[in-house]
Amino acid sequence: MSSPSPAQRTLDIQPFQAMEVFKQALARQAAGADIISLGIGEPDFTAPEPVLDALMRAARDGRSGYTPTLGIPALREAIARYYGEQLGAPVDPARVVVTQGASGALLLAALTLINPGDEILMPDPCYPANRNFISSAGGVSRLIPCHASERYQLSAASVAANWGPKTRGILVASPSNPTGTSIPRPALAELLEAVRTRGGLSIVDEIYLGLSYEAAPRSALSLDDDLIILNSFSKYFHMTGWRLGWMIVPQPLVAVVEKLASNLMICPPALSQYAALACFEPASLEIFEARREIFKARRDFLLPAFERLGLRVDARPDGAFYIFADISAHASDSAAFSRRLLDEAGIAAVPGHDFGPTHGARAMRFSYATATEKLEEAVARIGTMLGR
């Protein structure tokens, strides 16, 4: 008896090379190899003590049942305050939707807003999984080649040049995965206005906004209130496996999102929500800010080190924990160079093919979400491999 055949949409989804590299690295480690991972985008920090304490209190108090679909009111209010006090954008808590990670937020956004055949403009390079959320709703991701001169980001000019009859809107991330670059505020204002004047929608991924290094973080909502914002407790708050995120949507969309979420997800994880309340306490924010400074110091160590290794960084990252480096001085294909790094140096890093075709062959993403001493060892190993 033959097995059921998978739906066509599953055949269109490409493997996520970052996770493939992660699996290979784990297999090598299990076999006894000393592998340094610069591949996976997961902080080496975990949730701080105030959050763990809040989790235990919630568990002991039996707060593990279903919660409201949109999230517990106290957490929605805390997120809204955080945007007003820390990110320069006062928000009505009624517009905040707590989700099962930022992935849950993007899935809800796609299913709420995208009709079959709708085209969403995205920068090339970009986070590969985002394209699959668009296609899951029947939409089409159109990758627009972006270069270092544009900080690898969409611009008002690129929107004007590529907007077509099927274009529904844009999906951008600032700071970005894989480049770590943010869209400068004047350019972001022009970009959002270019979409608005064409009657389109803007989805802005702010997952890494808290990890901004050159200026105080400011939400895109401070420039345009009519946006769909995605965010997460995974990166700045170091709660990856807790699977908790949020979205901020225009008020008219809240009831639609709630209807979808109640059917597809019931509610976000209850204990994670009660624990996350502690993220916004002064003691926790002090910890997160200290850790942000550590990430910045790691970036500042790696950038000149990469330059010495011949790994060119054409757009200086100002956020997240990634460096998007040109490896063409050493190889013509990033996948081959990634394999060589793993085989010869015990270094796991992600080939650029994951993030789009424009820079895929000659670029790689290196994550510095690991201890400084490991980064120092990684630089030494790569230098030995390259004879530098």
Side-chain angles (χ1 to χ4, degrees), residues 30 108 293:
L108 288 171
E293 288 296 326

Side-chain angles (χ1 to χ4, degrees), residues 21-22 25 35-40 338 341-342 346-350 366:
V21 170
F22 183 53
I35 303 296
I36 298 175
S37 177
L38 307 183
I40 197 71
S338 176
L341 279 173
L342 192 58
I347 304 294
V350 183
F366 295 87

Side-chain angles (χ1 to χ4, degrees), residues 78-96:
I79 292 169
R81 282 196 305 273
Y82 175 69
Y83 265 74
E85 295 173 358
Q86 303 291 331
L87 303 180
V91 171
D92 181 351
R95 295 174 53 196
V96 176

Side-chain angles (χ1 to χ4, degrees), residues 291-356:
R291 292 174 174 182
R292 182 183 64 83
E293 288 296 326
I294 292 172
F295 281 125
K296 180 178 183 292
R298 293 172 180 176
R299 179 205 63 171
D300 292 345
F301 162 72
L302 281 180
L303 286 175
F306 275 22
E307 195 69 28
R308 292 192 297 270
L309 293 170
L311 302 173
R312 198 174 73 243
V313 182
D314 293 324
R316 179 182 174 86
D318 61 311
F321 36 63
Y322 305 111
I323 294 176
F324 196 61
D326 188 316
I327 53 91
S328 58
H330 304 293
S332 59
D333 180 67
S334 63
F337 192 70
S338 176
R339 289 192 295 271
R340 185 183 173 198
L341 279 173
L342 192 58
D343 292 340
E344 298 181 28
I347 304 294
V350 183
H353 296 287
D354 242 3
F355 308 106

Side-chain angles (χ1 to χ4, degrees), residues 168-198:
R168 179 79 170 101
I170 64 169
L171 170 56
V172 296
S174 183
S176 161
N177 176 5
T179 66
T181 60
S182 301
I183 307 175
R185 282 180 65 79
L188 180 57
E190 292 174 359
L191 173 64
L192 298 176
E193 179 61 22
V195 175
R196 175 185 282 278
T197 58
R198 289 167 173 80

